[in-house]
Amino acid sequence: MALHVLVHVCKFILNARTVYISLLPPHYPAFTMLKRYASLSSIFYVAALSALLAGCSGSKTEQGQAGDTLSIEAPTTDSLAAPEDQTQDFIQSLPSPIHVARIFNRAGLRYVAGLTNTSKDAGKYQSATAKALNLGIYTTDLAYSTFNNQNQAAVDYFKAVQKMGEGLDMASMFESTNLVPRFERNLGNKDSLLYLMSQLSLESDILLKGSKRMDVVALSFAGAWTESMYLTTSLLTENKNLELYNRVQDQQLTLPKLIALLESQNQPEATPALDGLKEVKSKLDRVVANSASISSTEYVELMSSIKALREKIIKTV
Amino acid sequence: MRNVYKILAIAVFFIMGTVAAQAQCSDKTIKKATKDALGTYIFESAAFKPLSSFANAKGRVEAAFSVYSQESYRVANLCQSFTEQPEFEVFDTEKNLLFSSAKEKGKATYDFIAQKSGDYTIQFKVAAVDTKNDGACVAFAIGYK
């Protein structure tokens, strides 16, 4: 309640800021107020007012309304220190989930109906963890449908992504950019759709990093990565595409970073997904170490571990 | 009356100072800089932090990012509000220097095709004049084709 009142006070002051800066005329009510303040303790009020205004900028960003606000970047003593390599000054960049899906697509990942998570389930995810994980799942499904010209499915997945995003206080990103209507208007134009997915990726990446919500970054990437691997490994058993298989093995590069990022967030709710990812990592390491073929036991075990993890994620509510 | 104007002037000074330092690493600034710098490349990721948050940087700030073989990338230096734009270098998976802005007339982007999958490194060398620059923001973005 107190926070709510503070937010309203901050909003009021932010709205008044331009008037305040342009030096008020003597008849302006706030002028009288300030005059009274001046007769008391000028320095105290100046400092307090400055601190309050600065604080208001920060509060607004913390609500996730990043499009037109300033963000306060606290000194980096938090979990943003690179978990895997402490000599790094930034957290190690994970690839965009859409890029991962694109890489698999270019390597030969083709559309098979019924493999993706149904967009109708978007309403069932209630917890923040489930929403963040399935934001990732739906982002991959969106990319997979778009790359394979499944237009109606792509629109449904874009809406599912929006629903997950709104549940994670990311609504401003969709409102300010009109992404969903623009996506619908451009159906059939793959370049435009790719551009709009890229916009989605940019908006969410900068919004989440700017508001230091690395937990959502980590969980949504975990969901997206798992879905990409699930779709790819499912298809590889039927279509033994070696290029695609090499791309699966390339994921040995990304997976340890994802695990390290999730560990650094120290979220108990993420433990099942984290355990699942560690299991997948052990299987993937074995596949790579033994140069295992697609028909090998190692590969079958990898595929099973990914399927189990994916089931766990889409059933998290 | 005069006192009030003095108070307002001092307050504006404090506020603008705070705002200027924050604005450089604001989402809005970074988003615009990213779009401009990546051009036709598709957004992959971005990272941004105020220079003042790198307590032990000692004039160098380093970041790593993953690349996949045969993919085309653009790395863009988006550093904001430095007195001298930091020197920007890119190293491959074996730490070989691939690009240095100092040798490329201060060019802010580097385009390449990754020869093999692995981790590349970006390094920013901050000029001595900027090491205490609280308004500066270290930022970069990565795009792909």
Side-chain angles (χ1 to χ4, degrees):
Chain A
M1 180 63 186
L3 184 63
H4 191 67
V5 171
L6 181 62
V7 167
H8 279 284
V9 171
C10 286
K11 279 181 179 171
F12 170 76
I13 294 172
L14 279 167
N15 290 337
R17 183 189 280 183
T18 47
V19 180
Y20 162 73
I21 287 170
S22 63
L23 298 179
L24 310 170
H27 63 270
Y28 197 82
F31 181 87
T32 315
M33 187 176 74
L34 283 166
K35 193 174 176 181
R36 195 179 306 146
Y37 286 167
S39 66
L40 296 170
S41 175
S42 308
I43 299 301
F44 171 78
Y45 282 105
V46 166
L49 195 56
S50 303
L52 182 57
L53 283 170
C56 285
S57 301
S59 300
K60 201 172 180 189
T61 298
E62 280 162 19
Q63 292 174 68
Q65 299 172 10
D68 56 354
T69 63
L70 303 169
S71 66
I72 293 176
E73 297 277 350
T76 312
T77 52
D78 59 13
S79 57
L80 286 179
E84 198 184 22
D85 181 354
Q86 294 299 327
T87 66
Q88 297 295 323
D89 297 305
F90 279 99
I91 192 158
Q92 185 129 8
S93 289
L94 291 167
S96 139
I98 293 167
H99 190 194
V100 174
R102 180 78 166 159
I103 287 169
F104 283 135
N105 176 256
R106 277 204 289 244
L109 180 61
R110 296 293 167 254
Y111 190 79
V112 173
L115 269 185
T116 51
N117 187 21
T118 172
S119 56
K120 288 176 185 157
D121 279 351
K124 82 174 186 186
Y125 301 113
Q126 298 300 315
S127 69
T129 303
K131 285 174 185 164
L133 284 166
N134 285 284
L135 169 66
I137 293 268
Y138 285 134
T139 301
T140 291
D141 291 341
L142 161 66
Y144 179 63
S145 306
T146 305
F147 294 144
N148 289 289
N149 303 313
Q150 301 297 312
N151 291 340
Q152 189 50 52
V155 170
D156 292 343
Y157 284 122
F158 215 123
K159 288 177 180 170
V161 166
Q162 181 177 15
K163 194 170 185 67
M164 297 295 102
E166 285 170 350
L168 293 163
D169 294 329
M170 295 162 72
S172 62
M173 158 183 129
F174 294 95
E175 288 160 5
S176 64
T177 54
N178 265 331
L179 280 172
V180 173
R182 285 164 68 197
F183 194 85
E184 285 179 299
R185 278 200 302 274
N186 284 283
L187 285 177
N189 184 341
K190 206 188 257 187
D191 287 344
S192 297
L193 298 184
L194 183 57
Y195 171 77
L196 289 168
M197 284 196 294
S198 158
Q199 288 298 103
L200 172 71
S201 192
L202 183 149
E203 294 285 340
S204 62
D205 192 69
I206 290 181
L207 172 63
L208 291 171
K209 287 176 181 168
S211 51
K212 297 202 181 302
R213 297 171 67 193
M214 294 308 291
D215 52 342
V216 179
V217 171
L219 286 168
S220 62
F221 188 81
W225 185 87
T226 303
E227 186 74 341
S228 276
M229 287 291 274
Y230 169 72
L231 295 172
T232 308
T233 52
S234 300
L235 289 173
L236 267 175
T237 47
E238 293 168 19
N239 172 9
K240 295 183 172 37
N241 176 331
L242 276 182
E243 192 185 344
L244 199 52
Y245 189 45
N246 288 337
R247 289 308 194 188
V248 166
Q249 295 184 54
D250 273 351
Q251 297 308 312
Q252 210 186 14
L253 181 68
T254 300
L255 184 51
K257 287 164 198 152
L258 171 58
I259 289 172
L261 178 57
L262 275 170
E263 281 177 334
S264 74
Q265 299 306 306
N266 201 19
Q267 291 174 278
E269 305 80 20
T271 305
L274 185 55
D275 290 345
L277 287 165
K278 286 178 179 171
E279 178 70 11
V280 171
K281 182 180 180 302
S282 74
K283 306 296 182 195
L284 182 58
D285 287 346
R286 281 188 61 198
V287 164
V288 176
N290 298 336
S291 303
S293 72
I294 299 174
S295 46
S296 66
T297 311
E298 287 93 334
Y299 177 74
V300 172
E301 287 178 356
L302 169 66
M303 199 174 65
S304 302
S305 66
I306 292 166
K307 190 175 177 186
L309 170 61
R310 194 258 191 181
E311 281 296 300
K312 206 186 288 184
I313 290 175
I314 64 171
K315 286 183 177 160
T316 303
V317 291
Chain B
M1 172 74 178
R2 193 180 294 166
N3 283 342
V4 173
Y5 281 114
K6 274 185 189 169
I7 293 164
L8 288 173
I10 294 166
V12 168
F13 176 79
F14 275 114
I15 294 160
M16 289 299 111
T18 314
V19 166
Q22 292 163 13
Q24 305 315 322
C25 262
S26 78
D27 301 357
K28 197 174 178 182
T29 308
I30 298 300
K31 211 185 296 178
K32 183 178 184 318
T34 299
K35 285 178 185 174
D36 291 347
L38 291 185
T40 57
Y41 282 76
I42 301 163
F43 175 79
E44 167 104 323
S45 70
F48 47 102
K49 277 163 61 170
L51 179 65
S52 56
S53 68
F54 298 103
N56 301 310
K58 293 179 182 169
R60 281 171 196 261
V61 175
E62 202 170 277
F65 64 101
S66 302
V67 298
Y68 290 97
S69 64
Q70 302 313 310
E71 290 288 302
S72 298
Y73 292 91
R74 169 172 287 183
V75 185
N77 173 5
L78 305 180
C79 289
Q80 311 275 322
S81 297
F82 282 84
T83 311
E84 283 180 30
Q85 192 66 345
E87 191 179 329
F88 154 60
E89 294 177 333
V90 180
F91 299 85
D92 68 10
T93 51
E94 270 89 40
K95 306 285 180 195
N96 300 310
L97 177 66
L98 297 178
F99 173 83
S100 167
S101 61
K103 293 174 186 165
E104 300 283 345
K105 298 175 183 169
K107 200 172 167 214
T109 57
Y110 172 57
D111 300 343
F112 64 95
I113 297 173
Q115 295 309 305
K116 65 178 193 179
S117 300
D119 289 338
Y120 276 40
T121 308
I122 303 171
Q123 197 173 84
F124 297 100
K125 290 183 186 169
V126 179
V129 67
D130 276 313
T131 50
K132 304 277 183 199
N133 181 350
D134 288 340
C137 176
V138 184
F140 66 91
I142 299 160
Y144 64 95
K145 279 227 162 165

